């Protein structure tokens, strides 16, 4: 032990500590985003800031989300090793520099570092080999869980069906909410009728009745469409015509809803969605021999995770998914 | 029907916040109906169907938030709008961004300026994580215990070779650049540097320095095993050298439970080279050895603090005088059968200091931290004679939090001790500061009341003596915690040292004489 290589070096370095920028490593990144960052680096702009997510309009116009670690992997999303963005000092309107190595916010002295982030790919759920019986079991299990645990006030209307959890019951608070509920019901019924009929024009018209309908940042009508489109976009689905019509409506009407909701919907018609939804879809058909009650037990955890999306958004997306399962079963039976 | 609308351009609220705003807006006085929604075409269509679409609302875009209010009869919209604006702008207070890292390496890479890792994982994995931290150039404070001694030796050698600090394992207290880490107190910045192998011992010295008007430059923990024969005092020696090189440190205080003799010798040999005054408080240590090494011997934690403050600019500072009449008062209330002291401590060094006060008088003391194996008492063993228990020792903390955080073990024991007719006094410590229980006195008061009642019902007075380790800068503050104890009839001592002296005085003057 000599005098000149002592712990004093360590102490001196400790004493030299000062406040520095937030250097936040990314945990995972959507594979589509990796490619886009390579092709189109530049400066974007912060669109909106929430406690657990920051949305940024990327240099190429795409809405990109920086999500807190505890959130799902999702399309155009980077999950970062942070639990809460509220204290990061990033504000709507701030410039954000995009490169293959980092998303940087000079105004807030914060950097999200991308090297080492796990690349996320949206899984596909092949439906071609799923039987009508399996679709029926899956629909029954998911329907039962939604009736019992779904959050009312969006697609699921009040009054609740018998046996629904009291805490989840919510009657329309006023004329506006009642008007929204009426519109959602009419749009959903029109859409289901049009899908059964295979009428692409009617599907498009019904989708337009739902697009942007609902009070939230992702309106309930959009969420319902999202669930249905997600199923329709999976390989082997018999809802291909519906998917095509929905894709056309979404593509033609970015001005009918919020940017966040439109982005989510556009991804859903391509079969891409949050990991929790894809995981639920995957589990729906993993336990093939079981009855609805048995399957429901397996689905409870992923359904709970999905129901945790937004206020009623999770319920509304699953309602769309459920409608898709029932329609998929009906269409197979009729063939 | 009059309609009042507020449009918030490009305003985004998550769904839960939106629901909350909507519910609150509907609950405002004078509001018949209120709607909160994004300004999409379909939502505006619903408003139109209801006859509520004003020209202003019609202009709202997809990214705009619409707040629509229908006032009740006689209500003034002008009074409602500001309240809704307030709902929109109200935001839960937020702290700094909480950044979490999955690995030490990721954290080090993300913030190249970071230079200290605190490791508090299970002892089985702590060594591996500490090694990663050291290899990434980080100093380490290891809170974890139950780390094999061979691993500690290897880690300290690695740290030493890299010129880094390896504080721990089992290091619960440090103050670096006036920031207390893990358990620590809010003390005045100053010129006394402390290197300590004892957590509560170093806390006690730091708060005594503060109380005497001095301040602390750095407090470096070494871990409780550093001065064992196996580890050899590597960290304490590095700590001395670090503080010797620190221009803000004018005097150094060393604190430890009794070190291994050969290690004590090695550590004392460092004093001469420090170039600064060094105060040595090793419980049960030799004054002759310290003096011969050029150090200032301290027989107690209070002595150590006094010496340090005197050496750093206040040569005439004095400890507050103890009130000797209080002993007489206690003596007068005890029966001849009440001959024993029971010490129930959170802090190991505080327990040690009080226990040694009795041992130095030739008393027999049973304890879970006794060096003499004939007097070792297990956690499950009933008390005998004078019993001093360190509830922070491994046997009590296995599978549960430290008593400074969760005092439940000690509360049950307090009431149990009160049932013993041989008990004259129960001595306790209360540790304030960062990391400690938010109200250690408050959580104990019901047990104190019950213990006193148990004794009173049996026709005995039970003296409860308490020392509150903390400062006026801690939260909760020292004064409030002390006042609460006094109100419950508890006798307060002003330092760990006085606590031991008080216990000894009760035994010496009140019982044995």
């Amino acid at each position: 032990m000599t005098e000149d290589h002592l712990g004093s070096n360590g102490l001196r370095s400790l004493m030299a500590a000062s406040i520095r920028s937030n250097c936040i490593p990314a945990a995972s990144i959507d594979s589509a985003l990796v490619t886009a960052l390579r092709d189109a680096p530049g400066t974007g702009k912060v669109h909106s800031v929430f406690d657990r997510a920051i949305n940024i309009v990327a240099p190429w116009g795409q809405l990109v989300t920086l999500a807190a670690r505890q959130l799902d992997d999702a399309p155009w999303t980077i999950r970062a090793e942070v639990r809460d963005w509220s204290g990061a000092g990033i504000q709507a309107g701030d410039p954000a520099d995009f490169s293959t190595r980092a998303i940087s916010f000079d105004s807030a002295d914060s950097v999200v570092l991308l090297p080492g982030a796990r690349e996320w790919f949206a899984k596909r759920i092949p439906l071609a080999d799923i039987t009508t019986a399996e679709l029926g079991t899956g629909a029954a299990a998911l329907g039962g869980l939604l009736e019992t645990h779904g959050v009312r006030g969006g697609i699921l209307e009040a009054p609740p069906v018998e046996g629904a959890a009291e805490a989840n019951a919510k009657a329309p608070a006023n004329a506006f909410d009642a008007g929204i509920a009426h519109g959602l019901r009419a749009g959903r019924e029109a859409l289901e009728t049009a899908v059964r009929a295979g009428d692409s024009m009617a599907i498009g018209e019904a989708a337009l009745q739902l697009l942007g309908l609902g009070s939230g940042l992702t309106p309930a009508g959009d969420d319902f469409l999202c669930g249905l489109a997600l199923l329709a976009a999976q390989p082997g689905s018999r809802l291909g015509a519906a998917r095509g019509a929905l894709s056309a409506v979404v593509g033609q009407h970015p001005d009918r809803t919020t940017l966040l909701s439109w982005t989510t919907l556009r991804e859903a018609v391509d079969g891409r969605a949050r990991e929790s939804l894809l995981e639920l879809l995957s589990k729906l058909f993993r336990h093939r021999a079981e009855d609805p009650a048995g399957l429901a037990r397996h689905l409870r955890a992923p359904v709970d995770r999905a129901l945790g999306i937004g206020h009623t958004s999770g319920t509304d997306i699953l309602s769309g998914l459920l409608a898709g399962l029932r329609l998929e079963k009906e269409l197979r039976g009729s063939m | 029907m009059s309609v009042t609308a507020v449009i918030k351009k490009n305003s985004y609220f998550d769904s839960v916040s939106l629901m909350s705003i909507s519910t609150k807006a509907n609950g405002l006085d004078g509001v018949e109906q209120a709607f909160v929604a994004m300004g999409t075409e379909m939502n505006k269509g619903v408003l139109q169907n209801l006859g509520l679409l004003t020209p202003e609302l019609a202009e709202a875009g997809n990214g705009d938030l619409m707040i629509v209010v229908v006032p009740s009869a006689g209500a003034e919209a002008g009074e409602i709008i500001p309240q809704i604006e307030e709902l929109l702008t109200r935001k839960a207070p937020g702290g700094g961004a909480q950044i979490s890292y999955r690995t030490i390496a990721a954290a080090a890479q993300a913030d190249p300026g970071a230079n200290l890792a605190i490791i508090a994982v299970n002892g089985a994995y702590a060594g591996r994580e500490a090694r990663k931290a050291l290899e990434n150039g980080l100093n380490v404070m290891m809170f974890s215990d139950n780390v094999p001694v061979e691993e500690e030796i290897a880690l300290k050698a690695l740290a030493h070779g890299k010129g880094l600090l390896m504080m721990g394992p089992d290091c619960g207290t440090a103050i670096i650049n006036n920031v207390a880490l893990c358990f620590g107190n809010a003390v005045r910045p100053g010129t006394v540097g402390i290197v300590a192998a004892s957590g509560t011992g170093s806390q006690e010295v730091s708060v005594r320095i503060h109380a005497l008007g001095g301040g602390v430059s750095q407090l470096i923990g070494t871990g409780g095993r550093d001065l064992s024969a196996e580890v050899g005092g590597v960290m304490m020696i590095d700590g001395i050298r670090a503080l010797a090189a620190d221009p803000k440190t004018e005097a150094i205080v060393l604190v430890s439970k009794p070190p291994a003799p050969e290690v004590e010798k090695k550590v004392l040999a460092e004093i001469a080279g420090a170039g600064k005054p060094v105060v040595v408080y090793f419980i049960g240590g030799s004054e002759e050895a310290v003096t011969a090494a050029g150090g200032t011997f301290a027989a107690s934690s209070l002595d150590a603090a006094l010496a340090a403050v005197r050496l750093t600019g206040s040569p005439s500072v004095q400890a507050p005088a103890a009130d000797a009449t209080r002993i007489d008062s206690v003596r007068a209330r005890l029966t001849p059968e009440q001959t024993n002291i029971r010490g129930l401590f959170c802090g190991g060094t505080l327990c040690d200091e009080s226990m040694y006060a009795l041992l130095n008088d030739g008393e027999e003391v049973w304890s879970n931290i006794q060096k003499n194996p004939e007097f070792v008492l297990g956690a499950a063993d009933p008390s005998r004679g004078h019993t001093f228990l360190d509830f922070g020792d491994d046997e009590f903390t296995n599978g549960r939090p430290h008593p400074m955080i969760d005092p439940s073990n000690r509360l049950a024991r307090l009431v149990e001790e009160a049932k013993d007719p041989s008990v004259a006094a129960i001595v306790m410590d209360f540790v304030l500061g960062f990391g400690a229980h938010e109200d250690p006195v408050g959580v104990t008061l019901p047990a104190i009341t019950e213990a006193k009642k148990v004794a009173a019902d049996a026709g005995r007075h039970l003296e409860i003596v308490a020392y509150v380790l903390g400062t006026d800068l801690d939260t909760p503050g020292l004064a409030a915690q002390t006042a609460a104890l006094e109100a419950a009839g508890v006798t307060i001592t002003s330092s760990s040292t006085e606590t031991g002296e008080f216990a000894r005085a009760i035994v010496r003057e009140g019982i044995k004489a």
Side-chain angles (χ1 to χ4, degrees):
Chain A
M1 209 177 284
T2 64
E3 287 283 343
D4 56 0
H5 69 284
L6 307 177
S8 55
N9 293 334
L11 185 64
R12 274 200 289 273
S13 68
L14 278 178
M15 293 167 66
S18 61
I19 296 170
R20 289 170 303 281
S21 61
N22 288 327
C23 297
I24 305 163
S28 60
I29 180 170
D30 177 20
S31 60
L33 191 45
V34 173
T35 307
L37 284 168
R38 193 167 53 235
D39 294 344
T43 301
K45 185 174 168 187
V46 176
H47 171 269
S48 48
V49 178
F50 303 99
D51 287 351
R52 298 192 300 168
I54 294 175
N55 297 313
I56 312 164
V57 179
W60 59 94
Q62 169 71 45
L63 195 67
V64 169
T65 299
L66 294 183
R69 176 184 164 184
Q70 66 271 30
L71 297 188
D72 278 341
D73 281 310
W76 300 105
T77 294
I78 297 166
R79 281 172 56 246
E81 296 287 6
V82 61
R83 295 195 66 78
D84 184 350
W85 293 103
S86 61
I90 299 168
Q91 297 181 342
D94 284 355
D97 291 326
F98 283 65
S99 74
T100 53
R101 294 193 57 77
I103 312 293
S104 309
F105 305 88
D106 287 348
S107 56
D109 206 14
S110 292
V111 179
V112 176
L113 300 169
L114 304 181
R118 177 178 56 81
E119 205 167 333
W120 175 78
F121 297 85
K123 60 168 76 88
R124 299 282 173 173
I125 318 297
L127 301 180
D129 295 336
I130 307 298
T131 65
T132 52
E134 288 164 348
L135 287 167
T137 303
L142 181 58
L145 289 169
L146 266 179
E147 287 291 346
T148 308
H149 303 290
V151 180
R152 292 172 189 277
I155 288 288
L156 282 192
E157 289 181 57
V161 297
E162 194 176 342
E166 191 64 27
N168 291 340
K170 180 183 175 298
N174 50 47
F176 180 75
D177 288 347
I180 296 281
H182 173 77
L184 289 171
R185 183 169 58 248
R188 189 190 66 216
E189 287 171 0
L191 182 63
E192 290 174 1
T193 300
V195 172
R196 277 190 197 97
D199 183 342
S200 293
M201 185 172 290
I203 291 170
E205 288 170 0
L208 271 178
Q209 280 183 256
L210 291 168
L211 190 62
L213 182 61
S215 58
L217 195 55
T218 57
D222 295 15
D223 289 331
F224 181 83
L225 290 173
C226 185
L228 180 59
L230 181 63
L231 187 81
Q234 298 308 316
S237 169
R238 305 293 204 277
L239 304 177
R243 185 236 166 204
L246 290 174
S247 180
V249 166
V250 171
Q252 289 163 16
H253 297 283
D255 55 342
R256 299 275 292 196
T257 189
T258 65
L259 179 58
L260 175 64
S261 192
W262 183 80
T263 304
T264 307
L265 197 44
R266 196 195 57 196
E267 294 301 313
V269 297
D270 284 341
R272 285 166 32 97
R274 297 166 68 130
E275 177 65 21
S276 59
L277 294 173
L278 296 175
E279 182 62 23
L280 169 60
L281 198 49
S282 166
K283 285 193 172 176
L284 262 173
F285 306 116
R286 201 175 291 167
H287 302 277
R288 296 190 167 189
E290 297 192 54
D291 59 11
L295 181 57
R297 282 195 293 276
H298 289 291
L299 294 181
R300 181 62 199 276
V303 164
D304 280 349
R305 276 196 294 278
L307 292 178
I309 301 171
H311 181 62
T312 65
S313 283
T315 300
D316 298 335
I317 295 168
L318 294 193
S319 296
L321 192 61
L322 176 60
L325 286 170
R326 287 171 173 162
L327 288 166
E328 180 88 29
K329 177 173 178 287
E330 285 180 39
L331 291 178
R332 290 183 186 215
S334 67
M335 292 180 79
Chain B
M1 190 190 304
S2 73
V3 180
T4 301
V6 178
I7 308 288
K8 304 302 289 184
K9 299 293 286 182
N10 295 316
S11 292
Y12 304 98
F13 293 83
D14 64 68
S15 303
V16 178
S17 299
L18 215 54
M19 279 298 299
S20 169
I21 292 168
S22 179
T23 303
K24 286 172 183 168
N26 274 290
L28 292 174
D29 286 343
V31 172
E32 186 179 307
Q33 291 193 84
F35 324 133
V36 183
M38 301 306 290
T40 63
E41 289 303 313
M42 289 306 293
N43 289 341
K44 288 191 287 188
V46 172
L47 290 174
Q48 188 164 28
N49 291 340
L50 295 169
L52 298 173
L53 189 68
T54 64
E56 187 184 15
L57 288 168
E59 292 299 313
N62 293 323
D64 300 339
L65 187 68
M66 305 186 297
I67 314 282
V68 184
V69 176
V70 178
S72 52
E76 290 290 334
E79 294 176 3
I80 297 169
I81 295 300
Q83 296 179 63
I84 294 176
E85 296 277 4
E86 158 70 13
L87 291 175
L88 290 171
T89 54
R90 193 182 297 163
K91 180 146 175 68
Q98 297 176 35
I99 303 171
S100 55
Y101 303 97
R102 292 193 175 194
T103 65
I104 293 268
Q109 184 187 19
D111 191 348
N115 54 15
L116 173 70
I118 297 176
I119 293 174
V121 299
N122 185 295
Y125 313 109
R128 185 181 63 190
E129 295 304 317
R131 183 173 295 279
K132 288 180 195 168
L134 293 168
E135 286 170 350
N136 278 282
L138 300 172
N139 297 280
V140 170
M141 176 179 184
M142 187 189 280
F143 188 82
S144 314
D145 56 8
N146 294 314
V147 175
V149 69
E150 299 78 18
E151 197 150 33
E152 178 174 354
I153 293 166
L155 289 169
K156 286 185 168 170
L158 176 64
H160 178 80
K162 288 178 171 287
L164 296 168
L165 303 179
M166 178 63 220
M167 298 186 278
D170 199 15
C171 176
T173 299
I175 299 176
I176 304 294
N177 296 341
N178 309 320
V179 176
L181 304 174
C182 299
F183 295 123
N185 298 90
V187 297
R188 190 181 301 108
T191 55
V192 180
I194 302 169
V195 191
S198 135
T200 48
S202 64
Q203 284 187 262
E204 170 65 0
V205 172
S206 71
V207 301
R208 283 306 105 223
I209 289 170
H210 175 92
L212 293 166
V216 174
S217 57
Q218 311 284 347
L219 192 168
I220 299 170
T222 68
R225 218 165 38 191
D226 189 67
L227 274 67
S228 65
E230 297 95 324
V231 181
V234 174
M235 184 61 233
M236 183 161 277
I237 291 170
D238 275 358
I240 293 169
R241 295 176 179 180
L243 291 177
D246 174 22
K248 288 185 182 169
T249 298
E250 295 176 7
I252 300 169
V253 180
L254 309 181
V255 183
S256 177
K257 295 174 185 175
E262 64 272 34
V263 179
E264 180 178 12
K265 198 174 169 185
K266 204 163 103 182
V267 169
L268 292 179
E270 285 294 316
I271 292 177
K276 296 176 181 178
V278 179
V279 179
V280 181
Y281 170 47
F282 291 162
I283 297 175
S286 154
E287 180 170 5
E288 189 182 355
V290 172
T291 305
T296 302
F297 175 77
S300 68
S301 54
L302 180 58
D303 274 357
L306 265 172
V309 175
R310 286 172 179 159
L311 288 165
T312 52
S314 302
S316 56
V317 70
Q318 296 292 328
D323 179 3
T325 63
R326 296 198 301 178
I327 295 296
D328 296 334
S329 167
V330 172
R331 286 172 53 193
R333 301 172 76 180
L334 298 174
T335 66
E337 291 74 28
Q338 291 178 275
T339 58
N340 292 319
I341 306 289
R342 300 284 156 80
L344 309 177
F345 288 86
C346 294
T349 306
L350 307 183
C351 183
D352 244 346
E353 187 162 21
S354 285
M355 182 171 73
Y356 268 83
L358 267 67
L359 288 171
N360 288 341
D361 255 14
E363 294 289 339
E364 294 182 340
V365 181
W366 276 264
S367 173
N368 60 325
I369 56 171
Q370 250 282 15
K371 295 290 179 199
N372 184 341
E374 288 181 32
F375 291 92
V376 171
L377 209 62
D381 296 336
S383 297
R384 306 172 56 182
H386 302 309
T387 292
F388 281 67
L389 297 175
D390 170 15
F391 282 84
D393 198 44
D394 290 350
E395 198 178 359
F396 282 104
T397 58
N398 192 11
R400 59 185 308 142
H402 193 280
M404 280 160 58
I405 301 168
D406 173 9
S408 52
N409 248 349
R410 190 169 74 149
L411 301 183
R413 189 75 178 226
L414 170 59
V415 176
E416 202 56 36
E417 298 297 348
K419 296 174 185 170
D420 184 343
S422 79
V423 172
I426 296 174
V427 183
M428 307 178 75
D429 60 350
F430 294 87
V431 182
L432 310 183
F434 305 106
H437 191 281
E438 60 186 12
D439 182 10
V441 167
V443 75
T444 311
L445 283 177
I448 288 175
T449 303
E450 189 181 347
K452 281 183 165 285
K453 183 174 183 304
V454 165
D457 288 349
R460 300 189 304 275
H461 167 73
L462 175 65
E463 189 67 24
I464 295 184
V465 179
Y467 168 53
V468 183
L469 189 164
T471 73
D472 49 336
L473 302 177
D474 280 325
T475 304
L478 176 62
Q481 293 281 289
T482 301
L485 285 167
E486 285 179 325
V490 174
T491 298
I492 303 297
T493 52
S494 64
S495 67
S496 172
T497 304
E498 193 201 348
T499 308
E501 293 297 329
F502 199 92
R504 179 162 67 179
I506 292 174
V507 174
R508 181 194 287 163
E509 298 170 24
I511 302 170
K512 281 186 72 182

